[in-house]
Amino acid sequence: MRSRDPTVKMTSFPWRSDATSVSQVPANFVLPEDKRPNLSDVSCLSIPIIDMKEMIDDPDRNPSPLLVEAIARACEDYGFFQIVNHGVPEELCQRMLKTVTKFFELSTEEKNKFFSDDVNKEVRFFSRYLKVENDEKVSMWSEVLYHHWHPQEDFTPPLPKNPPEYREVIAEYAKEIGALVTRLLSLISQGLGLEKDCLKRRMGETPTRRLQANYYPPCPEPELTLGLAPHTDFNALTIVNQSDGVTGLQVNKDGKWVAVDPIPNSFVVNIGDQIQVLSNDKYKSNLHRAVTNKHRRVSLAMFYGPGKDTEIGPIENFIDEEHPRVYRNYRYAEFMEEYHRQVGLRKRLKEAFRFDN
Ligand SMILES: O=C(O)CCC(=O)C(=O)O
Ligand SMILES: [Fe+2]
């Protein structure tokens, strides 16, 4: 292996004009060997693709048992699926991705106006790290913009004004995603044998809605680093819009990584920890990660979860002699606190809420 000067560190990505001149991954991004992505060892499976056309044709109809069953199967087997014919206009999805990309393409100085390590900040621009041995922090090959979203236009957080269309596009997109979340939670509830509005009601009166835009600059040595370390999402449901043509997201299936190849005009949907807990482990909040690529990639995750004072715990229907209660009840705020305590590690999040703990 080439020698790597440990003093060469990169604190922000010089991606704009000189990304191609970064021919080596700087030392502070290089993972220890056992944490590297091992890119040639990827499963040949793919996550389920689900066509929601029948819901666009007639949004008020009852979904076909076939659609409910396909989603239920995907939630049980993978905790992940891709949806096509989802009803959100393609032009809007593209405009949204383009708008967040423009934000990441601003100067570091401009983006740093939102830089913060404070997890309680309403709008945050930051980069990630993974804690490895001796608490050493290895930087991840990505930048993140994080803030709340609402299906209404009245944003209280001071969202970026640059690019100038940012607020307007988010407002339009958030409305559509809000409607899609309601539809998906209803389909997932029905697949679990619950009333249609059960999961939505379990999120409480003031659900948490957060947006995480991930920017992965072109990486000269994707084998040595990661864009986003393996994790599960701690919310209830996530809807991801990603760049066309660039693969990066990978989902764990029985110990092997499955690449999620982007399909034009689709969303990736995944179950978060809260639905795993509510279903008493029937549905999986699955481990996933983002690997880097010679091409830049952008993804936009819309997270939906319970209100912070909402109580979460396994729904009675899923507890019986064969399936004893796995988790204790907790307030969602407690779960979030644990998440922030484990930042950089994110290893034993749900375990901390096990009933037998
Ligand atoms: O880049 C991706 O597709 C992964 C996004 C993700 O997992 C997240 O933001 O939690
Ligand atoms: Fe995630």
Side-chain angles (χ1 to χ4, degrees), residues 47-50 68-82 253 269 271 283-284 286:
I47 66 165
I49 298 166
I50 292 171
V68 172
E69 177 56 24
I71 292 181
R73 198 86 341 277
C75 292
E76 233 175 280
D77 293 347
Y78 285 88
F80 265 84
F81 50 98
Q82 296 204 74
K253 173 75 177 151
V269 179
I271 298 292
Y283 284 0
K284 298 281 169 296
N286 204 352

mmCIF file of all heavy atoms in Angstrom, residues 47-50 68-82 253 269 271 283-284 286:
data_model
loop_
_atom_site.group_PDB
_atom_site.id
_atom_site.type_symbol
_atom_site.label_atom_id
_atom_site.label_comp_id
_atom_site.label_asym_id
_atom_site.label_seq_id
_atom_site.Cartn_x
_atom_site.Cartn_y
_atom_site.Cartn_z
ATOM 1 N N ILE A 47 -33.350 -5.354 -3.231
ATOM 2 C CA ILE A 47 -34.493 -5.138 -2.336
ATOM 3 C C ILE A 47 -35.777 -5.087 -3.175
ATOM 4 O O ILE A 47 -35.733 -4.762 -4.358
ATOM 5 C CB ILE A 47 -34.338 -3.869 -1.456
ATOM 6 C CG1 ILE A 47 -34.347 -2.596 -2.291
ATOM 7 C CG2 ILE A 47 -33.083 -3.938 -0.601
ATOM 8 C CD1 ILE A 47 -34.551 -1.337 -1.461
ATOM 9 N N PRO A 48 -36.932 -5.428 -2.578
ATOM 10 C CA PRO A 48 -38.176 -5.479 -3.357
ATOM 11 C C PRO A 48 -38.547 -4.131 -3.979
ATOM 12 O O PRO A 48 -38.272 -3.073 -3.406
ATOM 13 C CB PRO A 48 -39.225 -5.879 -2.309
ATOM 14 C CG PRO A 48 -38.450 -6.494 -1.190
ATOM 15 C CD PRO A 48 -37.118 -5.827 -1.178
ATOM 16 N N ILE A 49 -39.148 -4.209 -5.177
ATOM 17 C CA ILE A 49 -39.646 -3.010 -5.872
ATOM 18 C C ILE A 49 -41.171 -3.114 -5.900
ATOM 19 O O ILE A 49 -41.721 -4.132 -6.334
ATOM 20 C CB ILE A 49 -39.094 -2.946 -7.307
ATOM 21 C CG1 ILE A 49 -37.569 -2.852 -7.246
ATOM 22 C CG2 ILE A 49 -39.686 -1.761 -8.071
ATOM 23 C CD1 ILE A 49 -36.879 -3.120 -8.559
ATOM 24 N N ILE A 50 -41.825 -2.082 -5.418
ATOM 25 C CA ILE A 50 -43.288 -2.155 -5.279
ATOM 26 C C ILE A 50 -43.950 -1.045 -6.093
ATOM 27 O O ILE A 50 -43.581 0.132 -5.975
ATOM 28 C CB ILE A 50 -43.665 -2.098 -3.782
ATOM 29 C CG1 ILE A 50 -43.178 -3.401 -3.129
ATOM 30 C CG2 ILE A 50 -45.176 -1.919 -3.590
ATOM 31 C CD1 ILE A 50 -43.262 -3.460 -1.654
ATOM 32 N N VAL A 68 -50.860 -4.709 -0.194
ATOM 33 C CA VAL A 68 -50.624 -4.748 1.261
ATOM 34 C C VAL A 68 -49.643 -5.871 1.598
ATOM 35 O O VAL A 68 -48.704 -5.693 2.383
ATOM 36 C CB VAL A 68 -51.969 -4.939 2.016
ATOM 37 C CG1 VAL A 68 -51.750 -5.179 3.493
ATOM 38 C CG2 VAL A 68 -52.867 -3.728 1.787
ATOM 39 N N GLU A 69 -49.832 -7.014 0.960
ATOM 40 C CA GLU A 69 -48.996 -8.179 1.240
ATOM 41 C C GLU A 69 -47.557 -7.958 0.767
ATOM 42 O O GLU A 69 -46.600 -8.342 1.448
ATOM 43 C CB GLU A 69 -49.642 -9.405 0.550
ATOM 44 C CG GLU A 69 -48.888 -10.720 0.670
ATOM 45 C CD GLU A 69 -48.602 -11.154 2.107
ATOM 46 O OE1 GLU A 69 -49.337 -10.719 3.012
ATOM 47 O OE2 GLU A 69 -47.618 -11.901 2.317
ATOM 48 N N ALA A 70 -47.402 -7.308 -0.408
ATOM 49 C CA ALA A 70 -46.044 -7.076 -0.935
ATOM 50 C C ALA A 70 -45.266 -6.177 0.034
ATOM 51 O O ALA A 70 -44.081 -6.406 0.313
ATOM 52 C CB ALA A 70 -46.127 -6.440 -2.314
ATOM 53 N N ILE A 71 -45.938 -5.164 0.562
ATOM 54 C CA ILE A 71 -45.262 -4.254 1.505
ATOM 55 C C ILE A 71 -44.961 -4.979 2.818
ATOM 56 O O ILE A 71 -43.860 -4.867 3.369
ATOM 57 C CB ILE A 71 -46.113 -2.980 1.708
ATOM 58 C CG1 ILE A 71 -46.114 -2.169 0.399
ATOM 59 C CG2 ILE A 71 -45.592 -2.142 2.876
ATOM 60 C CD1 ILE A 71 -46.880 -0.875 0.428
ATOM 61 N N ALA A 72 -45.923 -5.779 3.272
ATOM 62 C CA ALA A 72 -45.713 -6.513 4.530
ATOM 63 C C ALA A 72 -44.500 -7.445 4.416
ATOM 64 O O ALA A 72 -43.656 -7.499 5.316
ATOM 65 C CB ALA A 72 -46.974 -7.310 4.880
ATOM 66 N N ARG A 73 -44.415 -8.131 3.295
ATOM 67 C CA ARG A 73 -43.299 -9.074 3.073
ATOM 68 C C ARG A 73 -41.956 -8.324 3.094
ATOM 69 O O ARG A 73 -40.999 -8.732 3.720
ATOM 70 C CB ARG A 73 -43.560 -9.719 1.716
ATOM 71 C CG ARG A 73 -42.965 -10.910 1.273
ATOM 72 C CD ARG A 73 -43.422 -12.329 1.525
ATOM 73 N NE ARG A 73 -44.330 -12.677 2.583
ATOM 74 C CZ ARG A 73 -43.992 -12.897 3.864
ATOM 75 N NH1 ARG A 73 -42.768 -12.823 4.260
ATOM 76 N NH2 ARG A 73 -44.885 -13.224 4.759
ATOM 77 N N ALA A 74 -41.952 -7.179 2.368
ATOM 78 C CA ALA A 74 -40.705 -6.402 2.288
ATOM 79 C C ALA A 74 -40.300 -5.898 3.673
ATOM 80 O O ALA A 74 -39.117 -5.901 4.036
ATOM 81 C CB ALA A 74 -40.902 -5.225 1.336
ATOM 82 N N CYS A 75 -41.286 -5.478 4.476
ATOM 83 C CA CYS A 75 -40.975 -4.958 5.823
ATOM 84 C C CYS A 75 -40.443 -6.061 6.727
ATOM 85 O O CYS A 75 -39.604 -5.827 7.586
ATOM 86 C CB CYS A 75 -42.223 -4.353 6.468
ATOM 87 S SG CYS A 75 -42.790 -2.863 5.661
ATOM 88 N N GLU A 76 -40.954 -7.275 6.522
ATOM 89 C CA GLU A 76 -40.508 -8.380 7.373
ATOM 90 C C GLU A 76 -39.134 -8.891 6.930
ATOM 91 O O GLU A 76 -38.265 -9.160 7.753
ATOM 92 C CB GLU A 76 -41.529 -9.524 7.285
ATOM 93 C CG GLU A 76 -41.992 -9.955 8.656
ATOM 94 C CD GLU A 76 -43.095 -10.997 8.599
ATOM 95 O OE1 GLU A 76 -44.264 -10.614 8.376
ATOM 96 O OE2 GLU A 76 -42.777 -12.178 8.808
ATOM 97 N N ASP A 77 -38.952 -8.994 5.610
ATOM 98 C CA ASP A 77 -37.719 -9.620 5.105
ATOM 99 C C ASP A 77 -36.539 -8.665 5.044
ATOM 100 O O ASP A 77 -35.406 -9.048 5.271
ATOM 101 C CB ASP A 77 -37.949 -10.186 3.695
ATOM 102 C CG ASP A 77 -38.931 -11.353 3.720
ATOM 103 O OD1 ASP A 77 -39.223 -11.851 4.818
ATOM 104 O OD2 ASP A 77 -39.400 -11.737 2.641
ATOM 105 N N TYR A 78 -36.798 -7.420 4.651
ATOM 106 C CA TYR A 78 -35.693 -6.472 4.434
ATOM 107 C C TYR A 78 -35.783 -5.213 5.302
ATOM 108 O O TYR A 78 -34.787 -4.556 5.552
ATOM 109 C CB TYR A 78 -35.668 -6.006 2.970
ATOM 110 C CG TYR A 78 -35.129 -7.020 2.005
ATOM 111 C CD1 TYR A 78 -35.972 -7.965 1.430
ATOM 112 C CD2 TYR A 78 -33.785 -7.035 1.654
ATOM 113 C CE1 TYR A 78 -35.484 -8.903 0.533
ATOM 114 C CE2 TYR A 78 -33.282 -7.963 0.762
ATOM 115 C CZ TYR A 78 -34.132 -8.898 0.202
ATOM 116 O OH TYR A 78 -33.637 -9.813 -0.674
ATOM 117 N N GLY A 79 -37.019 -4.826 5.649
ATOM 118 C CA GLY A 79 -37.194 -3.527 6.302
ATOM 119 C C GLY A 79 -36.983 -2.397 5.306
ATOM 120 O O GLY A 79 -36.936 -1.219 5.682
ATOM 121 N N PHE A 80 -36.844 -2.738 4.043
ATOM 122 C CA PHE A 80 -36.548 -1.776 2.967
ATOM 123 C C PHE A 80 -37.308 -2.160 1.717
ATOM 124 O O PHE A 80 -37.460 -3.346 1.424
ATOM 125 C CB PHE A 80 -35.057 -1.858 2.595
ATOM 126 C CG PHE A 80 -34.193 -0.856 3.297
ATOM 127 C CD1 PHE A 80 -33.712 -1.121 4.576
ATOM 128 C CD2 PHE A 80 -33.837 0.324 2.683
ATOM 129 C CE1 PHE A 80 -32.898 -0.196 5.230
ATOM 130 C CE2 PHE A 80 -33.025 1.245 3.326
ATOM 131 C CZ PHE A 80 -32.556 0.992 4.606
ATOM 132 N N PHE A 81 -37.747 -1.185 0.937
ATOM 133 C CA PHE A 81 -38.251 -1.454 -0.409
ATOM 134 C C PHE A 81 -38.164 -0.180 -1.241
ATOM 135 O O PHE A 81 -37.996 0.911 -0.695
ATOM 136 C CB PHE A 81 -39.673 -2.026 -0.393
ATOM 137 C CG PHE A 81 -40.677 -1.261 0.437
ATOM 138 C CD1 PHE A 81 -41.539 -0.344 -0.164
ATOM 139 C CD2 PHE A 81 -40.792 -1.473 1.810
ATOM 140 C CE1 PHE A 81 -42.490 0.351 0.601
ATOM 141 C CE2 PHE A 81 -41.734 -0.778 2.580
ATOM 142 C CZ PHE A 81 -42.578 0.134 1.973
ATOM 143 N N GLN A 82 -38.267 -0.352 -2.557
ATOM 144 C CA GLN A 82 -38.317 0.834 -3.428
ATOM 145 C C GLN A 82 -39.743 0.930 -3.945
ATOM 146 O O GLN A 82 -40.372 -0.091 -4.229
ATOM 147 C CB GLN A 82 -37.357 0.693 -4.606
ATOM 148 C CG GLN A 82 -35.910 0.629 -4.157
ATOM 149 C CD GLN A 82 -34.943 1.072 -5.274
ATOM 150 O OE1 GLN A 82 -34.814 2.237 -5.590
ATOM 151 N NE2 GLN A 82 -34.242 0.108 -5.850
ATOM 152 N N LYS A 253 -28.435 -7.862 4.499
ATOM 153 C CA LYS A 253 -29.373 -8.986 4.472
ATOM 154 C C LYS A 253 -28.615 -10.228 4.892
ATOM 155 O O LYS A 253 -27.691 -10.656 4.189
ATOM 156 C CB LYS A 253 -29.951 -9.117 3.052
ATOM 157 C CG LYS A 253 -30.821 -10.339 2.822
ATOM 158 C CD LYS A 253 -32.187 -10.199 3.459
ATOM 159 C CE LYS A 253 -33.064 -11.394 3.165
ATOM 160 N NZ LYS A 253 -34.040 -11.653 4.219
ATOM 161 N N VAL A 269 -37.886 3.275 0.635
ATOM 162 C CA VAL A 269 -38.633 3.427 1.889
ATOM 163 C C VAL A 269 -38.047 2.453 2.892
ATOM 164 O O VAL A 269 -37.768 1.301 2.542
ATOM 165 C CB VAL A 269 -40.139 3.097 1.672
ATOM 166 C CG1 VAL A 269 -40.916 3.227 2.970
ATOM 167 C CG2 VAL A 269 -40.739 4.001 0.601
ATOM 168 N N ILE A 271 -38.098 1.036 7.163
ATOM 169 C CA ILE A 271 -38.672 0.986 8.511
ATOM 170 C C ILE A 271 -37.611 1.458 9.504
ATOM 171 O O ILE A 271 -36.462 1.022 9.433
ATOM 172 C CB ILE A 271 -39.027 -0.496 8.830
ATOM 173 C CG1 ILE A 271 -40.080 -1.033 7.866
ATOM 174 C CG2 ILE A 271 -39.417 -0.716 10.276
ATOM 175 C CD1 ILE A 271 -41.417 -0.417 8.032
ATOM 176 N N TYR A 283 -41.375 -6.426 12.333
ATOM 177 C CA TYR A 283 -40.758 -5.717 11.222
ATOM 178 C C TYR A 283 -39.358 -5.247 11.629
ATOM 179 O O TYR A 283 -39.137 -4.893 12.787
ATOM 180 C CB TYR A 283 -41.606 -4.519 10.801
ATOM 181 C CG TYR A 283 -42.836 -4.894 10.008
ATOM 182 C CD1 TYR A 283 -43.121 -6.223 9.715
ATOM 183 C CD2 TYR A 283 -43.710 -3.920 9.550
ATOM 184 C CE1 TYR A 283 -44.251 -6.568 8.993
ATOM 185 C CE2 TYR A 283 -44.846 -4.262 8.825
ATOM 186 C CZ TYR A 283 -45.110 -5.588 8.556
ATOM 187 O OH TYR A 283 -46.225 -5.920 7.842
ATOM 188 N N LYS A 284 -38.468 -5.225 10.636
ATOM 189 C CA LYS A 284 -37.066 -4.920 10.946
ATOM 190 C C LYS A 284 -36.692 -3.487 10.585
ATOM 191 O O LYS A 284 -36.996 -3.017 9.502
ATOM 192 C CB LYS A 284 -36.143 -5.840 10.126
ATOM 193 C CG LYS A 284 -36.286 -7.311 10.413
ATOM 194 C CD LYS A 284 -35.545 -7.689 11.678
ATOM 195 C CE LYS A 284 -35.869 -9.099 12.145
ATOM 196 N NZ LYS A 284 -37.258 -9.345 12.544
ATOM 197 N N ASN A 286 -33.633 -2.110 9.569
ATOM 198 C CA ASN A 286 -32.444 -2.836 9.120
ATOM 199 C C ASN A 286 -31.198 -1.952 9.046
ATOM 200 O O ASN A 286 -31.276 -0.759 8.788
ATOM 201 C CB ASN A 286 -32.748 -3.437 7.750
ATOM 202 C CG ASN A 286 -31.867 -4.642 7.454
ATOM 203 O OD1 ASN A 286 -30.936 -4.923 8.211
ATOM 204 N ND2 ASN A 286 -32.140 -5.327 6.377
#
